[in-house]
Amino acid sequence: MCSCEHETRISGGPAVLWVGFRKDGLTWTGPGREPTWFATYTTLKRGFCPRCGTHVISVAAGSDMIMVTGFSLTDQTGIEPVGHSYRESAAPWMTITLAPGPRAPQPATS
């Protein structure tokens, strides 16, 4: 999740939930197909649905990852937030419970 000023102004909400995917592993299947792109920050481009204008995606310059807004996904399984950037900038009434982060594989013991 992110509560930076840029994200909250674009979303109109107190935070944005992002889910990351490798760019080469994402396929556009919806009726609008690939988003309409805009540079909303010097190092970011954002994708918006060409049919309804909803903000659905963010790509940082030089990154091989693409960030999708969590609640725009049809399958929302496993999108519980594991981090909250700019938490100190979040609305003072907002309370977030973070899910445990992914655990590193443990070595086998005998």
Side-chain angles (χ1 to χ4, degrees):
M1 295 194 66
C2 184
S3 289
C4 74
E5 182 179 358
H6 187 68
E7 299 293 349
T8 56
R9 286 183 184 269
I10 287 174
S11 71
V16 175
L17 176 63
W18 293 109
V19 180
F21 297 93
R22 293 191 58 76
K23 281 186 198 176
D24 59 5
L26 188 64
T27 304
W28 301 106
T29 60
R33 298 291 176 199
E34 183 156 346
T36 300
W37 296 97
F38 295 96
T40 62
Y41 196 71
T42 56
T43 59
L44 291 174
K45 69 177 185 176
R46 310 263 179 187
F48 297 81
C49 173
R51 295 183 72 183
C52 71
T54 300
H55 174 218
V56 293
I57 204 137
S58 178
V59 181
S63 177
D64 62 345
M65 297 294 289
I66 194 161
M67 304 305 286
V68 178
T69 55
F71 294 107
S72 67
L73 297 169
T74 302
D75 180 0
Q76 296 179 3
T77 305
I79 66 166
E80 297 81 10
V82 296
H84 187 179
S85 58
Y86 293 88
R87 183 176 239 179
E88 68 282 356
S89 299
W93 46 261
M94 192 167 126
T95 302
I96 300 291
T97 301
L98 299 176
R103 293 188 303 166
Q106 301 297 311
T109 59
S110 51

